[in-house]
């Protein structure tokens, strides 16, 4: 018996050793810790199908992620495959750092019509393709159900709320009603003291930089603003008065009225933590955060449609994809993994975790089921995605990182009250458009 | 029992003791916040921010940091991916030990050569050495990085220790001053007895220079343990990170927005322990060396 047992162990170890010996290891990076378990499950399924490949998943926080990548490209230590972002990929593509997978798609006959309309095209330029779509996201207003009830606001008001940059519409009234000073007066009261606020009605996740994906893009576009004239355009309209009045309204919400958390506090604590600690009633956020809010808030969380602006209801529609590094020594294995990530098999797994909406319909159905099981109504995110004309694409152009740094500085100065929106944006827009004339 | 009369309770004394108490409080209070945060449940952090004592202490964060909790559980309490704490600790210890032992030894050899051996261009080379101390470290990072990259040493242990392992101009200069002060007669006597230069260095000069050597070793230990920037740019691989780098990466691995404070503080607390032990064991020597070297 003992003998048999020992032999089995030896055989097992030998088999393992042999397998480990023949395996190629590829490294895959992502930045969202919430998605790591889902992709680990994908990797396990992939390794079952391809026992000769091992996928090593590394998660880095957003800031470290991009500096790590750019230094990695130069020093030869970048990952074989990584989650890519629309604001970043044009630069990588023009530097020849990510692989054009169009020939591989053709060679293997990969179906590209299975994705949500518009997503696949976002990742292409001039016949070249830099990634297969993996997910999409839209924006909604996340709210604290308990604070809403305490303020006597019915959730039905949130379905029809409106906004305009002049008086803020019913959207601003709800925000004001959810703000309380230390004497218990809410923001609608004449005695409200904006200097001593104990509960804020609203918070945004930062100044939003050049895109304001969750922060202000939905307000500005619903006011008739547009970033530019479509993908790969060579100019921006940041000097539009429609953007200036939107941003000024939002900045004054904290600077003058005291309804919104000052931006300096946000950068210290993070808007999400402020919200889950019950100090803020509402914030705009992306669909990738649904599960996080459910897991981290001790109260019931609701998701409301964005307010209707002068130009209707608008949300940014953004999607991520996986790219292959040109310097990878394991191109074929990397492509296999990317192909798997973009396939229904992996997207259904990711969907079942209920963290993000995958780029394929069956994956979205799996995600909706997972959210339903958690007792969450996430229609605010899906309704807007399925409404014609209610979404606009993330603006893709060259020079994204320079644009980000110019616009972040300008937006920060506005939200900190150091500059007026109209002046700062005019100046920033001139700098941005000068980039394209170099 | 001391004679109490020797310490009369004057006003000056009371003021001095009060001042000391305040200073100790100011020094220790941040450490207390680290410990308090480390034993707070991640979900309770913001509710308990204003409390001085944790209402419901837990060792969960230490378990999370030491990798005893699965990723799913970690995410469920609002944490992020596990930090490879034990690996980072091992790397830090190896990194520090290697550098302290070799840097002290090689610097002593160089310092002795500059102090006692005669060879052409000695003073010129030494002057160059001194000039090297004037160069700010930041300027050296890029050429060093390129050199290490071309050697193919990125993400390797040798790449991490390379700039520090042989010597630092400061260490050589510091030790040379002491070797110059060693009585020449001792060495001459040994020389007459037929001792080789290395024998003299090893058996006579080093033993009587114990104090400066220990001083240098202690200063190097503290500096190396806290070294961040170079290891950070050279080896970002998960299994090659030293503690400082691992903590930085962990801090920026935000679960969407705010850092995992409780986990970070638990890890920070564990990272302080080795230095703390060093201080307890060698406390007197550390203080003496600081006074001795005039470095505060």
């Amino acid at each position: 018996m003992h003998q048999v047992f020992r032999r089995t162990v030896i055989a097992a170890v030998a088999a393992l050793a042999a397998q480990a010996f023949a395996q190629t290891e590829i490294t895959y990076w992502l930045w969202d810790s919430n998605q790591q378990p889902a992709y680990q499950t994908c990797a396990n399924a992939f390794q079952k199908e391809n026992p000769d490949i091992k996928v090593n998943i590394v998660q880095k926080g957003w800031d470290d992620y991009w500096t790590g990548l750019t230094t990695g490209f130069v020093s030869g230590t970048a990952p074989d495959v990584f989650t890519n972002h629309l604001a970043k990929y044009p630069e990588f593509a023009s530097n020849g750092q990510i692989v054009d997978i169009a020939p591989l798609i053709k060679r293997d006959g990969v179906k590209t019509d299975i994705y949500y309309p518009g997503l696949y095209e976002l990742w292409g330029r001039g016949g070249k393709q830099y990634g297969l779509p993996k997910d999409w996201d839209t924006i909604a207003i996340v709210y604290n159900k308990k604070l809403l009830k305490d303020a006597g606001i019915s959730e039905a008001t949130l379905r029809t709320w409106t906004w305009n940059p002049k008086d803020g519409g019913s959207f601003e009234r709800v925000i004001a009603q959810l703000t309380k000073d230390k004497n218990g007066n809410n923001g609608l009261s004449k005695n409200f003291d904006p200097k001593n606020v104990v509960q804020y009605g609203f918070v945004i996740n930062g100044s939003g930089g050049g895109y304001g994906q969750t922060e202000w893009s939905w307000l500005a576009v619903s006011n008739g603003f547009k970033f530019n004239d479509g993908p790969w355009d060579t100019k921006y309209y940041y000097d539009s008065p429609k953007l200036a009045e939107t941003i000024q309204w939002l900045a004054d919400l904290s600077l003058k009225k005291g309804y919104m958390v000052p931006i300096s506090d946000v950068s210290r604590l993070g808007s999400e933590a402020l919200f889950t600690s019950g100090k803020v009633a509402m914030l705009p956020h992306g669909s990738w955060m649904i599960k996080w809010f459910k897991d981290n808030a001790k109260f019931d969380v609701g998701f409301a449609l964005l307010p209707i602006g002068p130009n209707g209801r608008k949300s940014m529609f953004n999607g991520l994809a996986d790219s292959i590094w040109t310097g990878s020594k394991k191109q074929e294995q990397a492509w296999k993994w990317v192909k798997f990530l973009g396939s229904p098999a992996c997207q259904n797994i990711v969907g079942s975790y209920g963290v993000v909406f995958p780029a394929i319909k069956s994956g979205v159905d799996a995600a909706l089921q997972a959210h339903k099981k958690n007792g969450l109504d996430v229609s605010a995110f899906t309704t807007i995605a399925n409404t014609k004309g209610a979404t606009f694409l993330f603006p893709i152009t060259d020079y994204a990182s320079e644009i980000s740094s110019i616009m972040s500085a300008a937006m920060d100065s506005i939200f900190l009250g150091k500059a007026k929106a109209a002046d700062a944006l005019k100046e920033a827009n001139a700098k941005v458009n000068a980039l394209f004339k170099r | 029992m001391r004679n109490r009369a020797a310490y009369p309770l004057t006003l000056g004394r009371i003021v001095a003791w009060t001042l000391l108490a305040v200073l100790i409080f100011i020094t220790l209070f941040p450490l207390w916040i680290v410990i308090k945060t480390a034993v707070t449940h991640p979900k309770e952090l913001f509710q308990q921010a204003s409390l001085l004592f944790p209402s419901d202490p837990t060792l969960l964060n230490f378990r999370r940091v030491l990798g005893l909790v699965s990723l799913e559980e970690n995410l469920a309490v609002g944490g992020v991916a596990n930090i490879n704490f034990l690996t980072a600790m091992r790397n830090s210890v190896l990194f520090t030990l290697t550098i302290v032992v070799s840097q002290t030894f090689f610097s002593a050899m160089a310092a002795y050569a500059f102090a006692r051996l005669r060879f052409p261009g000695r003073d010129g080379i030494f002057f160059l050495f001194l000039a090297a101390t004037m160069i700010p470290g930041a300027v050296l990072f890029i050429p060093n990085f390129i050199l290490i990259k071309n050697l193919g040493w990125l993400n390797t242990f040798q790449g991490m220790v390379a700039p520090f392992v042989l010597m630092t101009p400061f260490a050589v200069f510091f030790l040379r001053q002491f070797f110059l002060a060693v009585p020449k007669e001792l060495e001459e006597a040994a020389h007459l007895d037929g001792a080789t230069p290395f024998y003299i260095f090893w058996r006579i000069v080093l033993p009587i220079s114990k104090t400066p050597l220990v001083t240098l070793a202690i200063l190097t230990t503290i500096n190396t343990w806290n070294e961040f920037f170079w290891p950070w740019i050279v080896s970002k691989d998960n299994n090659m990170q030293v503690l400082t780098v691992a903590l930085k990466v962990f801090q920026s691995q935000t679960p969407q927005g705010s850092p995992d404070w409780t986990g970070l503080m638990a890890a920070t607390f564990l990272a302080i322990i080795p230095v703390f032990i060093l201080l307890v064991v060698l406390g007197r020597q550390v203080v003496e060396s600081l006074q001795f070297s005039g470095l505060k």
Side-chain angles (χ1 to χ4, degrees):
Chain A
M1 187 65 223
H2 222 70
Q3 276 295 325
V4 174
F5 176 73
R6 258 186 52 185
R7 268 192 214 145
T8 329
V9 171
I10 291 168
V13 170
L16 275 174
Q19 191 195 17
F21 188 69
Q23 270 192 335
T24 326
E25 187 167 313
I26 53 171
T27 306
Y28 175 58
W29 280 14
L30 43 77
W31 67 76
D32 184 355
S33 55
N34 297 311
Q35 296 182 42
Q36 202 176 341
Y39 282 101
Q40 191 57 60
T41 311
C42 270
N44 297 345
F46 174 75
Q47 284 164 184
K48 258 209 190 79
E49 278 180 34
N50 304 280
D52 56 327
I53 307 175
K54 182 174 183 305
V55 181
N56 172 25
I57 299 182
V58 176
Q59 181 257 331
K60 289 174 184 281
W62 177 263
D63 294 333
D64 260 5
Y65 187 87
W66 300 107
T67 50
L69 267 179
T70 40
T71 52
F73 289 146
V74 177
S75 61
T77 52
D80 302 290
V81 180
F82 60 96
T83 305
N84 210 341
H85 193 275
L86 289 171
K88 310 279 181 180
Y89 98 83
E91 209 163 328
F92 298 158
S94 60
N95 292 343
Q97 288 156 334
I98 47 177
V99 175
D100 167 22
I101 54 173
L104 295 166
I105 292 172
K106 214 167 138 190
R107 185 193 76 187
D108 296 358
V110 177
K111 276 204 179 75
T112 57
D113 54 359
I114 54 173
Y115 303 110
Y116 264 73
L119 287 180
Y120 180 76
E121 288 69 27
L122 279 174
W123 289 91
R125 182 181 195 176
K128 294 189 162 136
Q129 188 69 24
Y130 294 104
L132 288 176
K134 59 193 288 177
D135 60 19
W136 56 265
D137 51 71
T138 48
I139 309 301
I141 303 287
V142 187
Y143 63 92
N144 180 328
K145 287 192 175 187
K146 186 181 168 299
L147 295 185
L148 221 68
K149 210 162 134 192
D150 294 348
I153 301 168
S154 88
E155 296 185 42
T157 22
L158 308 192
R159 283 183 210 125
T160 53
W161 53 7
T162 57
W163 172 82
N164 66 67
K166 303 279 178 293
D167 64 9
S170 58
F171 182 54
E172 180 172 332
R173 279 201 297 285
V174 171
I175 293 175
Q177 207 175 332
L178 286 164
T179 309
K180 277 208 305 241
D181 67 7
K182 69 170 198 277
N183 304 321
N185 298 320
N186 77 17
L188 293 173
S189 131
K190 283 203 174 51
N191 307 324
F192 174 72
D193 172 11
K195 293 270 179 295
N196 286 300
V197 180
V198 291
Q199 174 189 312
Y200 286 98
F202 201 56
V203 63
I204 52 174
N205 311 310
S207 71
Y211 307 110
Q213 183 181 6
T214 64
E215 294 86 357
W216 46 258
S217 66
W218 43 281
L219 281 170
V221 175
S222 79
N223 191 33
F225 166 72
K226 61 179 182 177
F227 285 91
N228 56 26
D229 295 326
W232 310 112
D233 193 6
T234 52
K235 66 179 172 315
Y236 274 89
Y237 299 125
Y238 286 129
D239 56 350
S240 149
K242 291 193 158 77
L243 177 65
E245 60 185 8
T246 305
I247 300 294
Q248 199 59 61
W249 173 83
L250 199 53
D252 288 347
L253 219 47
S254 72
L255 297 170
K256 287 194 181 140
K257 297 169 186 156
Y259 301 162
M260 185 169 91
V261 182
I263 216 85
S264 48
D265 290 5
V266 174
S267 54
R268 267 203 305 275
L269 297 164
S271 59
E272 297 86 359
L274 285 164
F275 176 79
T276 50
S277 67
K279 292 182 169 46
V280 187
M282 304 192 293
L283 83 165
H285 227 308
S287 48
W288 62 89
M289 286 294 283
I290 297 171
K291 188 169 187 293
W292 189 91
F293 281 120
K294 160 95 179 80
D295 286 346
N296 287 277
K298 293 189 141 175
F299 44 82
D300 280 340
V301 178
F303 302 99
L305 281 164
L306 295 166
I308 303 164
N311 223 17
R313 198 179 258 137
K314 302 283 179 185
S315 163
M316 191 180 275
F317 186 66
N318 172 39
L320 304 178
D322 294 300
S323 297
I324 304 172
W325 174 40
T326 38
S328 163
K329 303 229 180 345
K330 300 141 189 167
Q331 293 289 333
E332 208 46 52
Q333 287 89 343
W335 163 239
K336 258 190 182 159
W337 171 234
V338 168
K339 205 161 54 174
F340 184 76
L341 286 167
S343 72
C346 173
Q347 304 227 345
N348 292 344
I349 292 175
V350 173
S352 70
Y353 274 81
V355 179
V356 285
F357 292 119
I360 297 172
K361 190 166 178 340
S362 63
V364 174
D365 294 340
L368 287 174
Q369 245 167 0
H371 289 313
K372 208 169 169 167
K373 215 166 62 203
N374 288 335
L376 290 177
D377 174 8
V378 296
S379 56
F381 295 102
T382 48
T383 310
I384 202 156
N386 294 324
T387 311
K388 249 198 150 29
T391 54
F392 55 95
L393 292 175
F394 191 101
I396 326 173
T397 61
D398 288 319
Y399 309 118
S401 56
E402 285 104 321
I403 292 169
S404 275
S405 63
I406 294 169
M407 291 304 298
S408 292
M411 287 289 175
D412 284 351
S413 69
I414 299 167
F415 281 103
L416 290 167
K418 290 180 181 160
K420 282 269 162 279
D423 313 339
L425 287 169
K426 208 180 213 86
E427 194 185 336
N429 193 56
K431 279 189 203 159
V432 166
N433 288 337
L435 293 171
F436 294 93
K437 300 197 175 69
R438 284 193 299 205
Chain B
M1 262 312 268
R2 281 234 170 104
N3 184 354
R4 278 189 172 266
Y7 292 102
L9 205 60
T10 60
L11 183 68
R13 256 182 218 293
I14 293 171
V15 171
W17 280 109
T18 319
L19 264 177
L20 270 178
V22 169
L23 282 174
I24 287 175
F25 176 79
I26 290 172
T27 316
L28 291 182
F29 187 69
L31 273 175
W32 171 246
I33 294 293
V34 168
I35 297 167
K36 188 211 108 174
T37 311
V39 298
T40 304
H41 191 280
K43 291 200 171 181
E44 302 284 333
L45 177 66
F46 287 95
Q47 280 87 348
Q48 299 202 7
S50 52
L51 303 177
L52 254 185
F53 292 94
S55 61
D56 184 13
T58 166
L59 288 177
L60 171 72
N61 299 314
F62 292 99
R63 288 212 309 278
R64 290 198 298 131
V65 167
L66 293 171
L68 306 172
V69 173
S70 77
L71 178 62
E72 280 81 357
E73 282 177 75
N74 220 335
L75 289 169
V77 296
V80 274
N82 294 322
I83 178 174
N84 290 350
F85 189 85
L86 292 174
T87 315
M89 183 66 101
R90 185 203 65 195
N91 291 342
S92 262
V93 170
L94 267 177
F95 178 73
T96 309
L97 266 181
T98 311
I99 287 175
V100 170
V101 172
S102 57
Q103 193 189 95
T104 311
F105 179 65
F106 291 126
S107 299
M109 284 167 77
Y112 185 69
F114 281 128
R116 285 284 183 268
L117 305 184
R118 291 199 194 86
F119 53 93
R122 184 182 82 171
D123 294 338
I125 296 175
F126 185 68
F127 179 76
L128 267 180
F129 244 78
L130 281 188
T133 57
M134 316 278 170
I135 302 172
V139 180
L140 298 172
F141 280 123
I142 293 171
N144 278 351
F145 180 83
I146 292 169
L147 176 68
I148 297 292
K149 175 185 177 274
N150 292 342
L151 286 169
W153 283 3
L154 290 177
N155 283 324
T156 64
F157 192 72
Q158 62 266 34
M160 263 200 297
V161 298
F164 313 101
V165 87
L166 288 177
M167 59 97 213
T168 56
F170 166 77
V172 175
F173 173 72
F174 179 82
L175 289 174
R176 177 176 169 269
Q177 296 305 311
F178 290 100
F179 294 161
L180 283 174
V182 172
K184 264 212 165 86
E185 293 77 9
L186 270 180
E187 292 172 64
E188 278 162 2
H191 192 67
L192 286 176
D193 285 343
T196 57
F198 187 78
Y199 186 93
I200 297 172
F201 166 73
W202 189 246
R203 282 300 177 80
I204 295 166
V205 178
L206 283 192
I208 55 178
S209 310
K210 219 179 196 156
T211 318
L213 284 170
V214 169
T215 301
L216 186 72
I218 287 172
L219 291 176
T220 314
T221 305
I222 294 171
N223 283 337
T224 314
W225 187 260
N226 295 332
E227 181 63 42
F228 163 71
F229 197 74
W230 178 256
W232 185 57
I233 57 174
V234 173
S235 55
K236 290 193 174 188
D237 255 28
N238 277 357
N239 51 4
M240 284 308 300
Q241 291 165 350
V242 292
L243 268 176
T244 45
V245 177
L247 287 174
K248 160 81 179 72
V249 168
F250 184 68
Q251 187 202 330
S252 67
Q253 264 183 318
T254 51
Q256 298 284 356
S258 71
D260 180 350
W261 292 116
T262 51
L264 186 67
M265 289 306 151
T268 308
F269 178 71
L270 292 176
I272 296 171
I273 291 176
V275 179
F276 184 74
I277 292 173
L278 186 82
L279 277 172
V280 171
V281 176
L282 298 170
R284 179 175 292 255
Q285 259 160 320
V286 173
V287 174
E288 275 177 7
S289 3
L290 287 174
Q291 289 169 337
F292 179 77
S293 64
L295 285 171
K296 287 281 190 302

